[in-house]
Amino acid sequence: MVEHRFPNSTPAANTALDDDSYLDYFYDIPGSMPGTLNIESGAAPPVIVLIDYDEATATRQEVATPEDCTPFLDSDSVSWVDVKGLGSEDILRRLGQVFHLHPLVLEDIVNVPQRPKIEEYDEQLLIIARMVTMKSSGNGFISEQVSLVLGRHYLLTVQEEPEYDCFGPIRERIRTSKGIIRKQGADYLAYAIIDSIIDGFFPVLEEYGEKIEELEDEVVANPSRQTLEKIHNIKRELLGLRRAIWPQRDAINALIRDGSNLIGHEVHIYLRDCYDHAIQVLDMVETYRELAASLMDVYLSSVSNKMNEIMKLLTVISSIFIPLTFIAGVYGMNFDPSKSPYNMPELNWYWGYPACWALMLLTAFSLVFFFWRRGWFENFSSIEVKKSPSTRKLPHLTMRR
């Protein structure tokens, strides 16, 4: 199951969330005014964290109001303004005024979920991305929108949920001046965040790879209705991952192809590497989707073979007891031997009863021996599961640090 929050202004948001929620995008009420902000009831209030750095120094502070960010926007240092939460329309509108955001930009940031995309405005570049993480329970993933507004010397990021993000390593690299991030501009910081979002898909795919491996054994060994539900859930969740990564790949490709005056040539080279990661994620998602679809076919075959085994067992039992029933039925008929010497003379035999049992046992064992020689007792539907590093392991995902 995939969790996602929807603004309560849309018709779909007035109903309870279902398992198909991650397949939808935000839509406006027909006739609504452009630039309308729809704040979800119960959303966390925004928390604004400012990280300002250059090659020599780096500072981090939590600012109380959006206006406190104004002095940093025109400085020569790089300013990263990270907003977590979408629970206050007043703060968000003031944030739009401080950063001179177009009303449609602010609408795309606040009205989630939007399709991942790249849009260029005057001296600003809007990047909409989706960030995913596994739930703590291990069942399903959480999908969250991350919006990036790139300026000449600043980067504004707005996260839908405050509890989780995958930007911890970036903050640590800025704090410790590790790598080249503090020697680069805001465009490199935007690349680093996009790359971190894309790489965040790999741990999720690792979890789904392990789940598919477990389901393969379960489908072959002991398929049940719960197995069918697990396969169905994985197929739909992989579809959600595909819908998250596919447009992000196209957006990165468009940014590389069309370019932007806010992104330098060196960062374009890094973006090509990020595009390769998106392609790898998409390939793995498609591979897992095909494996999940094949699991459904194996499940149906396993259930059918299991039913065939049951029918075969019943057929063998019936084949053995049919002649025994015939013998018992013949000697159970009410004929009087005194009336005619041909009226079942065996009823007067001294050893008649033991002879009848001997005949029935001989018939039963003869049939069992015949069925055994014909191979009827073999389990034709059994599938041997072999585990080896070369054939059993699903495609491996290598996480780049």
Side-chain angles (χ1 to χ4, degrees):
M1 179 178 178
V2 179
E3 288 183 350
H4 195 86
R5 294 186 176 181
F6 283 78
N8 55 15
S9 62
T10 60
N14 294 326
T15 59
L17 295 179
D18 54 24
D19 290 342
D20 296 334
S21 60
Y22 61 93
L23 301 178
D24 298 328
Y25 292 123
F26 177 89
Y27 59 92
D28 291 312
I29 297 176
S32 61
M33 184 174 60
T36 302
L37 302 186
N38 299 279
I39 306 298
E40 179 189 2
S41 60
V47 176
I48 305 175
V49 178
L50 172 64
I51 298 178
D52 187 78
Y53 65 90
D54 55 21
E55 188 173 354
T57 61
T59 60
R60 180 185 183 276
Q61 58 181 308
E62 185 173 320
V63 298
T65 64
E67 289 76 13
D68 295 337
C69 301
T70 303
F72 297 91
L73 301 185
D74 297 326
S75 63
D76 294 332
S77 59
V78 177
S79 300
W80 176 14
V81 181
D82 188 19
V83 181
K84 300 181 179 181
L86 300 173
S88 174
E89 181 176 354
D90 176 64
I91 293 179
L92 293 171
R93 288 196 180 277
R94 289 160 57 190
L95 194 69
Q97 294 174 1
V98 169
F99 284 87
H100 306 289
L101 300 180
H102 192 281
L104 295 182
V105 173
L106 193 60
E107 180 183 20
D108 288 340
I109 291 175
V110 176
N111 299 344
V112 295
Q114 300 287 334
R115 190 176 189 271
K117 59 183 178 179
I118 303 286
E119 290 185 356
E120 190 166 7
Y121 293 83
D122 295 336
E123 296 301 321
Q124 287 182 340
L125 184 66
L126 171 65
I127 304 172
I128 302 293
R130 299 216 63 81
M131 181 170 57
V132 299
T133 180
M134 290 298 297
K135 296 180 183 178
S136 57
S137 62
N139 298 322
F141 64 91
I142 299 173
S143 178
E144 173 188 357
Q145 175 173 311
V146 179
S147 306
L148 295 82
V149 178
L150 174 64
R152 185 65 59 182
H153 297 290
Y154 65 85
L155 177 68
L156 170 66
T157 59
V158 182
Q159 302 183 45
E160 183 182 353
E161 296 290 344
E163 289 85 2
Y164 167 84
D165 64 36
C166 55
F167 306 147
I170 300 177
R171 299 186 183 98
E172 185 65 18
R173 282 156 55 191
I174 294 175
R175 187 184 68 85
T176 59
S177 189
K178 185 178 181 181
I180 63 172
I181 189 168
R182 281 178 39 179
K183 301 177 183 179
Q184 301 292 327
D187 54 349
Y188 185 87
L189 175 61
Y191 147 74
I193 290 178
I194 296 173
D195 187 58
S196 180
I197 292 174
I198 297 298
D199 288 347
F201 281 80
F202 287 102
V204 177
L205 288 175
E206 287 282 2
E207 292 289 338
Y208 279 97
E210 294 176 1
K211 287 184 179 181
I212 291 176
E213 285 187 358
E214 295 173 358
L215 274 178
E216 284 181 342
D217 297 337
E218 185 176 341
V219 165
V220 172
N222 187 27
S224 63
R225 182 178 180 85
Q226 289 73 23
T227 306
L228 181 61
E229 293 177 356
K230 292 177 183 177
I231 296 174
H232 178 74
N233 290 336
I234 283 185
K235 289 180 63 178
R236 299 196 67 82
E237 290 166 8
L238 289 174
L239 177 60
L241 285 174
R242 183 179 183 272
R243 285 175 60 88
I245 190 59
W246 187 289
Q248 290 188 178
R249 181 206 62 170
D250 294 341
I252 297 173
N253 185 39
L255 185 60
I256 296 173
R257 182 183 65 248
D258 301 335
S260 172
N261 59 355
L262 295 174
I263 297 180
H265 174 72
E266 185 177 356
V267 175
H268 270 86
I269 299 176
Y270 287 105
L271 284 174
R272 290 203 298 265
D273 180 66
C274 186
Y275 177 75
D276 290 340
H277 295 166
I279 291 293
Q280 183 181 2
V281 170
L282 186 58
D283 286 344
M284 296 309 303
V285 170
E286 293 294 341
T287 300
Y288 287 167
R289 289 186 67 211
E290 293 177 3
L291 289 174
S294 66
L295 283 180
M296 184 68 72
D297 296 335
V298 174
Y299 170 81
L300 295 176
S301 298
S302 298
V303 172
S304 178
N305 289 334
K306 191 174 182 180
M307 179 62 68
N308 290 338
E309 289 299 319
I310 295 174
M311 295 304 298
K312 185 176 72 173
L313 177 62
L314 295 177
T315 301
V316 169
I317 294 175
S318 300
S319 300
I320 293 175
F321 277 90
I322 284 176
L324 305 185
T325 304
F326 172 76
I327 296 173
V330 168
Y331 286 96
M333 292 186 295
N334 296 321
F335 283 99
D336 187 2
S338 62
K339 300 297 183 180
S340 170
Y342 299 105
N343 287 350
M344 303 185 70
E346 297 87 355
L347 297 179
N348 292 324
W349 290 0
Y350 182 82
W351 297 101
Y353 180 71
C356 183
W357 267 107
L359 177 62
M360 289 191 292
L361 291 175
L362 177 63
T363 303
F365 282 111
S366 298
L367 289 174
V368 169
F369 179 76
F370 175 75
F371 294 152
W372 173 74
R373 289 297 301 270
R374 295 295 297 269
W376 283 26
F377 293 109
E378 296 179 5
N379 186 3
F380 292 106
S381 65
S382 62
I383 302 176
E384 183 179 359
V385 180
K386 296 181 179 180
K387 295 184 179 181
S388 64
S390 59
T391 60
R392 185 65 180 89
K393 185 69 175 177
L394 287 176
H396 180 64
L397 295 174
T398 302
M399 293 185 61
R400 186 177 60 85
R401 299 296 181 186

